Amino acid sequence: MDDQRRQELWTIARENLQAARHAVQQQWYNVSASRSYYATYTAMWIAVDDPPHTRWQHAGIVKIFAQGQWQSNQMPLSRDLRKALETLYKHRLKADYHGRPVTVDEAQEAITTAEQVLTRVATEFDLSQDE
């Protein structure tokens, strides 16, 4: 992935995180969880590069990301962060596909996971975290 594409995706990831934060302020918890998921998904895409086929599937991108081979120290993610990614995905499904309300706590948890992933990716790829 070239630098221009990385920056385009980084802008999208940060926009989604900002939208997730704004949605919580508006008490739009389902929207917030969905945006947190897509912020995370896009940041993982930056980390692991373009998909081997037409697009990334959730299980595939998380598996590659969790292995940590995109990091300079190539350490797998902690069990807690892997679990948080799976929980984030469940909140996103609940919000977008199951027609069930996401709680304020779940929306906040989703934002926290997104922030953790974006911070890791920003650090590894020297991307700006300025809002």
Side-chain angles (χ1 to χ4, degrees):
M1 175 180 306
D2 65 29
D3 287 339
Q4 179 180 349
R5 182 63 175 142
R6 185 175 291 118
Q7 285 300 321
E8 290 169 351
L9 290 171
W10 186 240
T11 297
I12 293 167
R14 290 178 48 224
E15 285 177 1
N16 276 302
L17 181 56
Q18 282 297 95
R21 290 174 179 148
H22 177 72
V24 160
Q25 293 171 350
Q26 299 301 313
Q27 298 179 348
W28 301 336
Y29 305 128
N30 285 50
V31 172
S32 180
S34 183
R35 292 303 91 204
S36 291
Y37 171 79
Y38 281 106
T40 303
Y41 176 95
T42 306
M44 289 188 296
W45 182 356
I46 292 166
V48 302
D49 210 347
D50 288 324
H53 302 291
T54 58
R55 63 186 168 140
W56 281 110
Q57 298 292 324
H58 174 77
I61 199 167
V62 169
K63 180 180 177 183
I64 300 296
F65 185 77
Q67 291 171 352
Q69 294 176 352
W70 53 273
Q71 300 174 91
S72 54
N73 65 2
Q74 296 194 6
M75 294 289 293
L77 297 182
S78 69
R79 182 170 188 240
D80 289 343
L81 187 51
R82 288 192 318 267
K83 184 171 173 38
L85 286 169
E86 290 302 320
T87 300
L88 172 58
Y89 184 63
K90 289 176 185 175
H91 293 334
R92 184 265 176 160
L93 290 177
K94 184 178 180 180
D96 291 338
Y97 294 103
H98 298 162
R100 295 177 46 224
V102 171
T103 68
V104 62
D105 290 340
E106 291 168 337
Q108 291 288 0
E109 180 182 34
I111 289 171
T112 298
T113 301
E115 289 170 343
Q116 290 174 339
V117 170
L118 268 68
T119 297
R120 290 185 85 136
V121 171
T123 300
E124 184 67 27
F125 292 94
D126 196 29
L127 299 165
S128 172
Q129 294 190 68
D130 296 336
E131 299 297 326

